[in-house]
Amino acid sequence: MNSAHPPFDPGIFGPDAIILKGLTGLNWRLKDYEARGGYQALKKILADRIAPDAVIAEVKKSALRGRGGAGFPAGLKWSFMPRQYAGPKYLVCNSDEGEPGTFKDRDILRYNPHTVIEGMLIAAYATGATAGYNYIHGEIWEIYERFEEAIAEARAAGYLGRNVLGSGLSFELYAHHGWGAYICGEETGLLESMEGKKGQPRFKPPFPASYGLYGRPTTVNNTETFAAVPWIIANGGQAYLELGRPNNGGTKIFSISGHVERPGNYELRLGTPFAKLLEMAGGVRGGRKLKAVIPGGSSAPVVPGEMMLATDLDYDSVAKAGSMLGSGAVIVIDETTCMVRALERLSYFYYEESCGQCTPCREGTGWMYRIVHRIETGKGRQGDLDLLYDVADNIMGRTICALGDAAALPVRSFVAHFRDEFQYHIEHGRCQVGSPAAREMAA
Amino acid sequence: MLSKESLQKIDAATAKYPPDQKQSAVMAALVVAQEEKGHLSTEVIEFVAGYLGMPPVAAYEVATFYGMYDLKPVGRHKLCICTNLPCALAGANEAAEHLKRKLGIGFNETTADGRITLKEAECFGACGDAPVMLVNNKKMVSFMTPEAIDKFLAELK
């Protein structure tokens, strides 16, 4: 699998890693996981018969926020599951990782799959879920197969199935795969997809906790969220909280890509300065100047480089810089990049991936792409930037799911921060970046 | 319509879901069918729908919604290269141009000998290994520089 990947060195994932700590790429099996203390948190809960509400309280105390992008407090989400419910309740892991820039769930699942299984077991105990599914991005088939193997190991060892470790807890877990649709990362689109339909998001409310998979109470959490749970239970919510900052508990895996020397996953304490992450990733490729950063996956507003260098990586700090921590996908853009072309590619993505359900998104993403495309290809018109804003404003808040906003936010932020580049394209029919004048300005 | 092995794989997928929710296995079943037949014809989609006890149109909706199903024949090898922004920043456009030149085809075209189909794809969730390419849907190859592409193509059967 992926033989071209550079060899592991100790601490490659960062000195404060907890989810990725001690991983070598080879030690993903059950026996390895148990050797580094795996499944002890689950055993502690089962042996001490800790009340489900106490487990939820511990997760609330940790300030663990949803790692898929929305940042919703995980413990609070669990507490929405109805206590008294006759019939099956479900737990779903969202590993449909397709937000451009994000590639952390893939590494969690291929290097440490059992931590996700243990996290799901603890969540099942806390929420009363009877069965679970891990919805894995179709493009990472080898990881899907590995997760099936990990499930089989856990089942054979008595961690999954009826009467887990003789405790009376019953929980079945299965792997489910996607097949190429970004929208299934949206939790209700994912549930529709799991039911064997087009992955078109549902109108909310009702939320999945009351009407989820097959109409049953369901909790959907991201892979990294589940992966953090065993550590929280083993070490306490307070200890996890203290790894990060108030309201931003724990560590976060940052996927850094684009113009850096060493792209990859780095697990850092929330609140770590962006400059530190950039340094760990070897700095901007070729010693060039940082131009801009998309700090939370392609849906997050772009931030100018200088502003980002003064920003810490936690939910609240990145929000103050006018963007979102999102999934922790940090896309680094250097001074040689044409921002019009960069936005054109992102706009094409949202146009391509809009599920077509809501008119503002279905039509608006196409309009935005075509306007940016004509600006990029030298056919831009005066007034196009106002038109772009107008279309973006008419998508935002007018769609069933967040894809519409996700398409509009990059457009608004790219134009807001790099308006002169767009204007140059419109007036001169060509790019400012790479022109002799731009090179002089950068020098 | 489908081989015994394929039907066994579909049955194994179906067993993951409640007995009254066989439709949940349609995505897996269509993948199995596509792998056996090379692409999904209307007849194959209808067969899968019938096998899972769902209306043909519901299976057709799924086959047309998800990007990795092939409704038309493709070459013996399908290469999908991601050109989304993180990959593009790491040289995906150059990689794509190199592939087109080497193969003498554009996106969504197949070489004259029916060997290779080339497609442009959206994010695989592997941006740290950019540029990345998906080979026959199930194998990902990483760091696809022009040199790596030359080596890859030389080794491809």
Side-chain angles (χ1 to χ4, degrees):
Chain A
M1 191 191 295
N2 190 18
S3 56
H5 203 284
F8 279 82
D9 58 64
I12 187 173
F13 298 118
D16 298 323
I18 58 175
I19 295 171
L20 302 177
K21 186 185 176 184
L23 303 181
T24 63
L26 300 172
N27 56 357
W28 62 273
R29 291 197 171 274
L30 176 63
K31 60 175 172 45
D32 305 309
Y33 183 63
E34 287 177 326
R36 55 178 180 265
Y39 288 109
Q40 289 302 323
L42 175 73
K43 285 177 182 166
K44 177 173 140 184
I45 287 172
L46 297 179
D48 298 353
R49 300 187 179 277
I50 297 172
D53 282 341
V55 174
I56 293 177
E58 207 59 36
V59 175
K60 279 185 180 169
K61 193 195 287 177
S62 76
L64 171 65
R65 293 170 64 169
R67 301 300 195 222
F72 192 82
L76 189 59
K77 201 174 200 181
W78 292 6
S79 72
F80 295 155
M81 286 285 269
R83 276 269 153 256
Q84 308 298 330
Y85 183 85
K89 291 192 271 187
Y90 293 105
L91 201 59
V92 175
C93 179
N94 185 347
S95 302
D96 194 36
E97 186 178 47
E99 170 85 3
T102 318
F103 49 91
K104 64 194 175 63
D105 299 337
R106 172 174 177 248
D107 272 4
I108 296 171
L109 291 174
R110 67 174 162 171
Y111 300 141
N112 208 5
H114 283 286
T115 194
V116 178
I117 297 175
E118 186 181 6
M120 290 187 79
L121 273 156
I122 293 167
Y125 178 86
T127 60
T130 47
Y133 294 92
N134 187 4
Y135 189 114
I136 299 172
H137 205 214
E139 287 84 340
I140 51 171
W141 188 267
E142 291 155 306
I143 278 85
Y144 166 77
E145 289 185 326
R146 172 166 294 186
F147 197 74
E148 293 242 278
E149 254 189 273
I151 287 176
E153 283 185 329
R155 191 173 288 137
Y159 290 117
L160 290 172
R162 291 198 155 274
N163 198 13
V164 171
L165 303 174
S167 67
L169 172 71
S170 290
F171 183 65
E172 272 300 347
L173 178 61
Y174 307 96
H176 180 104
H177 65 74
W179 205 240
Y182 169 68
I183 192 60
C184 294
E186 199 277 350
E187 65 176 10
T188 59
L190 184 147
L191 295 175
E192 286 288 299
S193 178
M194 278 210 57
E195 293 180 1
K197 303 175 206 160
K198 293 185 285 185
Q200 293 187 319
R202 298 174 182 171
F203 199 81
K204 294 167 283 281
F207 289 95
S210 46
Y211 192 93
L213 183 64
Y214 311 130
R216 306 288 191 174
T218 302
T219 293
V220 186
N221 284 134
N222 172 251
T223 320
E224 188 185 353
T225 310
F226 282 125
V229 169
W231 196 96
I232 291 169
I233 298 304
N235 299 277
Q238 187 63 30
Y240 187 80
L241 174 63
E242 285 166 8
L243 286 175
R245 283 182 174 172
N247 198 35
N248 296 268
T251 61
K252 173 83 191 76
I253 302 175
F254 292 96
S255 306
I256 188 165
S257 66
H259 291 143
V260 290
E261 289 286 350
R262 287 191 298 276
N265 283 313
Y266 298 87
E267 187 180 351
L268 308 175
R269 291 167 181 253
L270 276 169
T272 301
F274 163 74
K276 176 74 186 162
L277 172 66
L278 183 63
E279 184 195 318
M280 289 177 76
V284 180
R285 190 174 291 181
R288 292 199 185 111
K289 197 171 159 227
L290 180 68
K291 180 171 190 174
V293 177
I294 303 175
S298 65
S299 309
V302 67
V303 178
E306 300 215 337
M307 195 190 285
M308 201 61 213
L309 284 168
T311 298
D312 295 342
L313 295 168
D314 61 67
Y315 295 92
D316 299 333
S317 301
V318 178
K320 269 189 211 134
S323 190
M324 312 185 297
L325 190 78
S327 58
V330 179
I331 305 170
V332 174
I333 297 171
D334 79 12
E335 58 185 330
T336 64
T337 311
C338 169
M339 297 307 273
V340 182
R341 194 167 182 207
L343 179 63
E344 182 202 21
R345 187 60 186 85
L346 289 182
S347 294
Y348 180 78
F349 169 69
Y350 292 103
Y351 163 57
E352 172 75 22
E353 297 294 338
S354 171
C355 82
Q357 187 173 213
C358 308
T359 307
C361 174
R362 182 187 63 239
E363 304 301 323
T365 51
W367 292 345
M368 290 196 300
Y369 166 65
R370 286 189 292 274
I371 296 167
V372 181
H373 178 69
R374 77 177 177 228
I375 297 174
E376 161 60 14
T377 50
K379 301 184 190 79
R381 305 167 194 165
Q382 293 298 337
D384 268 357
L385 297 182
D386 293 337
L387 184 58
L388 263 181
Y389 259 85
D390 192 45
V391 176
D393 287 346
N394 278 296
I395 297 173
M396 286 197 65
R398 290 177 163 85
T399 55
I400 286 175
C401 85
L403 192 142
D405 288 8
L409 286 169
V411 167
R412 300 210 314 184
S413 61
F414 269 72
V415 176
H417 290 301
F418 301 96
R419 195 178 181 103
D420 55 335
E421 263 187 58
F422 285 81
Q423 198 60 42
Y424 191 96
H425 264 258
I426 291 170
E427 282 167 15
H428 300 269
R430 61 186 165 82
C431 189
Q432 184 182 26
V433 179
S435 71
R439 267 187 239 117
E440 266 172 45
M441 274 163 58
Chain B
M1 177 77 74
L2 292 177
S3 69
K4 202 173 144 212
E5 291 74 29
S6 289
L7 294 180
Q8 279 170 350
K9 283 185 196 167
I10 294 174
D11 292 344
T14 309
K16 295 177 179 179
Y17 310 98
D20 58 344
Q21 301 291 348
K22 280 163 76 175
Q23 184 170 335
S24 280
V26 67
M27 287 181 66
L30 289 172
V31 170
V32 171
Q34 173 168 302
E35 233 165 28
E36 182 182 328
K37 299 291 184 187
H39 77 284
L40 295 174
S41 64
T42 307
E43 294 73 31
V44 169
I45 295 169
E46 283 174 3
F47 173 82
V48 167
Y51 193 75
L52 295 175
M54 60 193 280
V57 66
Y60 194 73
E61 277 186 355
V62 170
T64 53
F65 187 82
Y66 297 91
M68 289 162 69
Y69 293 117
D70 295 311
L71 304 185
K72 289 179 186 152
V74 292
R76 265 195 292 129
H77 299 291
K78 183 172 82 165
L79 308 183
C80 300
I81 184 150
C82 174
T83 59
N84 206 307
L85 183 60
C87 273
L89 294 175
N93 290 321
E94 293 72 18
E97 286 311 309
H98 189 73
L99 273 167
K100 288 178 187 171
R101 230 179 4 256
K102 287 277 281 195
L103 299 172
I105 53 174
F107 284 138
N108 300 316
E109 290 177 4
T110 302
T111 52
D113 58 2
R115 192 163 156 260
I116 294 173
T117 298
L118 184 63
K119 292 198 173 196
E120 185 176 32
E122 294 300 344
C123 189
F124 304 149
C127 325
D129 297 354
V132 281
M133 188 165 75
L134 213 50
V135 184
N136 299 326
N137 302 316
K138 290 190 173 177
K139 184 179 166 52
M140 196 185 292
V141 288
S142 306
F143 305 109
M144 286 286 109
T145 56
E147 302 77 54
I149 287 169
D150 289 345
K151 188 165 176 284
F152 167 82
L153 287 177
E155 288 168 3
L156 193 68
K157 281 173 209 152

